[in-house]
Amino acid sequence: ETGVTQSPTHLIKTRGQQVTLRCSSQSGHNTVSWYQQALGQGPQFIFQYYREEENGRGNFPPRFSGLQFPNYSSELNVNALELDDSALYLCASSSYRDPETQYFGPGTRLLVL
Amino acid sequence: KNEVEQSPQNLTAQEGEFITINCSYSVGISALHWLQQHPGGGIVSLFMLSSGKKKHGRLIATINIQEKHSSLHITASHPRDSAVYICAVRWAGNQFYFGTGTSLTVIP
């Protein structure tokens, strides 16, 4: 079991609303990555944060944004929700010195109606 | 276009069977990962490979860098092995690319 936690575990929103998902990283990890996993698909990289700055971004529109705090916890914000945003959102923390080793949180399951 | 391809997508096996899941990728990588995802969604790292073969209990992972191919084997499969198995790679940049996963069901 990793030390990465996510909240909430489940969430239901309607189209057009905004949502904030939270991630608490493994102790000592200064890098967090966020992934979207649609049903039946593998995770897709959204973006990564290192030392509170965005450090790489996948093919997601600007309405997906993030924050990383000094304690390395992180948020994923999604504005103007669309039905296709329904997915499992995973965060994973790692150390910048060992980027290959990621520890995943349990995920937040988002349903957009 | 998916840089990481897995096969099969779905697999049903009888308890005790030997299972193989395959992963192919399209570019040079620094390492390949095999991950396990249970129905609740949490992902656990099984192996990280950059060459050769690794073994952990009944799980064996191999990689052929020249052929850009990796396999995950499960010996003496058990119903508790039922899960989605995902391979993932990382190359230039910070992002990981994931396969679509292989859903394994082991029947008692």
Side-chain angles (χ1 to χ4, degrees):
Chain A
E1 185 176 313
T2 74
V4 182
T5 59
Q6 290 186 244
S7 63
T9 55
H10 296 84
L11 198 52
I12 300 174
K13 290 284 189 179
T14 56
R15 271 189 308 173
Q17 285 189 309
Q18 178 265 343
V19 69
T20 297
L21 309 182
R22 294 180 175 84
C23 173
S24 177
S25 296
Q26 177 109 339
S27 177
H29 284 181
N30 53 16
T31 302
V32 65
S33 301
W34 283 92
Y35 299 93
Q36 181 195 65
Q37 186 178 21
L39 199 62
Q41 301 295 316
Q44 298 286 319
F45 176 74
I46 303 174
F47 43 57
Q48 183 185 83
Y49 276 79
Y50 168 65
R51 289 188 174 180
E52 304 173 54
E53 297 284 335
E54 189 177 288
N55 189 41
R57 188 178 184 94
N59 190 25
F60 281 80
R63 58 190 185 84
F64 285 78
S65 63
L67 281 174
Q68 186 183 31
F69 300 100
N71 66 355
Y72 302 134
S73 66
S74 174
E75 286 182 355
L76 164 65
N77 298 289
V78 187
N79 293 321
L81 283 166
E82 300 177 1
L83 297 180
D84 285 349
D85 296 334
S86 296
L88 179 70
Y89 289 85
L90 295 157
C91 74
S93 73
S94 59
S95 167
Y96 199 75
R97 286 176 292 179
D98 181 18
E100 291 290 351
T101 304
Q102 294 202 342
Y103 295 87
F104 286 85
T108 293
R109 199 167 291 279
L110 172 65
L111 177 61
V112 182
L113 302 175
Chain B
K1 174 180 171 292
N2 195 1
E3 291 83 357
V4 183
E5 300 283 349
Q6 276 187 247
S7 63
Q9 281 192 309
N10 295 284
L11 185 55
T12 300
Q14 289 291 132
E15 183 173 355
E17 283 186 11
F18 180 84
I19 288 161
T20 296
I21 301 170
N22 296 300
C23 176
S24 298
Y25 51 92
S26 57
V27 296
I29 60 170
S30 56
L32 180 143
H33 299 255
W34 281 103
L35 310 169
Q36 182 191 56
Q37 186 172 34
H38 280 283
I43 290 179
V44 173
S45 178
L46 298 175
F47 294 104
M48 182 177 73
L49 290 163
S50 53
S51 65
K53 173 178 167 178
K54 285 190 176 179
K55 184 175 188 291
H56 184 250
R58 295 180 293 105
L59 301 178
I60 303 166
T62 63
I63 189 167
N64 184 318
I65 296 292
Q66 287 73 31
E67 295 185 4
K68 298 185 172 59
H69 180 270
S70 176
S71 293
L72 176 68
H73 306 285
I74 304 176
T75 61
S77 59
H78 190 277
R80 65 174 173 266
D81 297 327
S82 299
V84 175
Y85 293 84
I86 303 172
C87 71
V89 301
R90 189 176 76 96
W91 56 82
N94 302 308
Q95 58 178 293
F96 278 76
Y97 292 88
F98 295 78
T100 54
T102 295
S103 179
L104 171 65
T105 302
V106 180
I107 299 171

